[in-house]
Amino acid sequence: MTLIRARRCVTPAGEVPAAVRVRAGRIAAVEPFDADAGADDVVDLADDEVLLPGLVDTHVHVNDPGRAEWEGFPTATRAAAAGGVTTLIDMPLNSLPPTTDARALEIKRAAARGRCHVDVGFWGGAVPGNARELPALHRAGVFGFKCFLLDSGVAEFGCLRPAELEEHLAVIADLDSTMLCHAEDDAVIGRARGRDYPGFLASRPAEAETNAVELVIAAARRTSARAHVVHLSAAGSLPLLAAAQASGVRVTAETCPHYLVFHADDIPDGATAFKCCPPIRDAANRDALWQGLLDGTISMVVSDHSPCTPELKRPDFGAAWGGIAGLQVGLSAVWTAAHARGIPLTTVVRWMATAPAEFVGLRRKGRIAEGCDADLVAFAPDEESVVDARTLLHRNPVSAYHGLRLRGVVRTTWLRGEPVAERPRGELLERGTA
């Protein structure tokens, strides 16, 4: 048995002094700080550290197998642990084959098995022609399904047209599952070329998102399915989502650290490390996304970690791969911006640990409470550091956060009560089993 004492511990009751008793990988009790030890091992956190639940990141592109030179399970999960993430859910595209049937899911699991430093689950993919595959993927334990409403960027993962979206949503409603939607309207997206970020931003206007969000809401209303808008960038979609939620439509949304930290004027010409789709917008839009989180219209913050090789980040916003590598720095990035806005660490933990765990039904994750997995993080919220992409643990040294001074440092991450170390101990998760 291990006892971890912290003068500051983020629990469902708020931030309190506590002693967390760990037995067989689970939290056996959360006790007063000065509880009798009665343990084989006692860990006292430093006075400047806060004990947090391990983060749950439900939007990660590992790309393994098939494009493991972009990112692989060993590197992604080591980066996750270094950033305080103890559970991640892998997206179904960019790996080969994409996770669009049960056989592909088993190939993905075989690539991950024994190679993960944190716990890993999987999303299934919804693509043209595979509606009949969804029940088998659901039975095999995927946490839900991801679709694109426009070109995904990889030929093997096709996008759903409106009638196909409704067909798949009807199946998902019968399964009581969830559809994750990349919501952009191809009809209003232009073609970007060159080093100019304003030109790229203009090519993917806010209207592209609001149009697609309206489509998702209407389809979810007609089918009674659960729909979730991923990586929300355009704050103009917030009134649509709030009204739909108030009327009983089962629609939720997430946003990402890069939309909360950066804004368009931050981005130099040719700096394609910042390229993502949908794009990073202006400062007023960023402020409105924060308000959407505070009022609950947006329920959580996840990384959308989507790395690639340096060669694919050529300095042309039309040609470069669209994805930001931020898995390791998400907590510090969000905390830096939240602290500046007077938002407490407990709220950041709710957005990045508790809410994502609840979203995917991981009852033992995202909280420091009796019976939960002892996935824990010692976080020094006042220590500062400067991001150096060369020292980050994901596969390739490319990051939009390079050179940024961030507040908050992860000092130790425990997975089921043991510090994350070189030997992979992560488990492969299935829906309903954790």
Side-chain angles (χ1 to χ4, degrees):
M1 183 187 299
T2 300
L3 190 73
I4 302 175
R5 289 196 181 111
R7 296 188 182 278
R8 299 173 63 189
C9 177
V10 175
T11 74
E15 186 181 298
V16 297
V20 177
R21 200 171 294 277
V22 177
R23 182 186 294 114
R26 300 274 185 91
I27 297 172
V30 181
E31 302 175 354
F33 175 79
D34 57 359
D36 291 338
D40 301 322
D41 186 26
V42 177
V43 178
D44 287 298
L45 265 60
D47 288 346
D48 66 338
E49 293 177 341
V50 185
L51 188 65
L52 311 181
L55 304 189
V56 177
D57 192 338
T58 58
H59 194 145
V60 178
H61 295 269
V62 178
N63 309 329
D64 189 0
R67 292 189 175 98
E69 71 275 14
W70 295 15
E71 186 67 284
F73 284 105
T75 48
T77 56
R78 286 184 66 216
V85 175
T86 52
T87 302
L88 65 84
I89 313 295
D90 174 62
M91 282 291 166
L93 71 157
N94 300 343
S95 55
L96 295 170
T99 315
T100 53
D101 58 36
R103 176 180 171 275
L105 174 62
E106 186 46 48
I107 293 171
K108 175 69 72 78
R109 283 181 172 149
R113 198 167 287 123
R115 303 174 71 222
C116 297
H117 295 270
V118 301
D119 288 353
V120 175
F122 303 96
W123 296 107
V127 296
N130 87 323
R132 293 182 179 179
E133 302 290 345
L134 305 190
L137 277 165
H138 181 75
R139 290 191 299 271
V142 298
F143 285 83
F145 301 90
K146 166 75 176 290
C147 75
F148 275 70
L149 304 184
L150 80 171
D151 181 7
S152 71
V154 290
E156 66 276 0
F157 199 94
C159 63
L160 299 182
R161 300 305 174 191
E164 295 167 324
L165 174 64
E166 293 218 15
E167 176 191 10
H168 284 71
L169 280 174
V171 176
I172 283 168
D174 288 341
L175 297 172
D176 195 26
S177 187
T178 303
M179 177 73 92
L180 280 59
C181 301
H182 180 128
E184 290 183 280
D185 179 1
D186 194 44
V188 295
I189 288 180
R191 181 164 183 163
R193 287 185 176 176
R195 299 174 58 89
D196 178 41
Y197 185 77
F200 169 66
L201 178 59
S203 76
R204 301 184 90 98
E207 181 188 2
E209 281 191 81
T210 55
N211 286 0
V213 168
E214 284 186 305
L215 173 66
V216 170
I217 290 169
R221 179 180 286 114
R222 284 191 291 269
T223 60
S224 298
R226 275 198 305 270
H228 179 76
V229 177
V230 296
H231 48 50
L232 185 71
S233 154
S237 299
L238 292 172
L240 303 172
L241 289 163
Q245 291 164 356
S247 70
V249 178
R250 299 200 295 171
V251 61
T252 52
E254 67 188 37
T255 194
C256 304
H258 42 274
Y259 299 129
L260 300 171
V261 173
F262 302 117
H263 63 79
D265 290 343
D266 289 336
I267 301 175
D269 287 347
T272 54
F274 291 87
K275 181 183 175 180
C276 56
C277 301
I280 296 165
R281 304 189 188 278
D282 62 34
N285 181 89
R286 178 184 62 180
D287 292 344
L289 290 176
W290 278 101
Q291 185 56 46
L293 278 163
L294 290 169
D295 67 28
T297 306
I298 303 170
S299 57
M300 59 192 191
V301 180
V302 293
S303 70
D304 188 15
H305 178 71
S306 185
C308 64
T309 60
E311 295 75 24
L312 291 176
K313 279 295 191 182
R314 64 199 74 170
D316 178 327
F317 279 101
W321 175 256
I324 287 180
L327 181 58
Q328 185 171 336
V329 298
L331 172 59
S332 297
V334 174
W335 168 235
T336 300
H339 180 269
R341 292 169 182 266
I343 297 169
L345 185 57
T346 51
T347 300
V348 172
V349 168
R350 173 164 55 83
W351 290 336
M352 301 188 76
T354 311
E358 291 175 349
F359 174 62
V360 293
L362 289 171
R363 300 180 301 278
R364 299 201 308 267
K365 303 291 188 181
R367 295 178 298 130
I368 297 179
E370 184 178 339
C372 289
D373 289 347
D375 299 344
L376 303 166
V377 176
F379 184 63
D382 298 322
E383 183 179 345
E384 295 186 351
S385 63
V386 176
V387 178
D388 184 343
R390 295 167 299 183
T391 66
L392 296 177
L393 299 179
H394 65 261
R395 180 69 186 264
N396 293 290
V398 178
S399 176
Y401 295 92
H402 178 71
L404 195 65
R405 178 172 291 276
L406 296 179
R407 185 184 191 94
V409 171
V410 172
R411 291 185 178 160
T412 308
T413 300
W414 290 268
L415 182 68
R416 287 184 298 283
E418 294 186 22
V420 174
E422 287 299 313
R423 182 176 66 85
R425 293 181 49 253
E427 296 181 356
L428 303 188
L429 305 177
E430 296 183 11
R431 185 197 71 262
T433 62

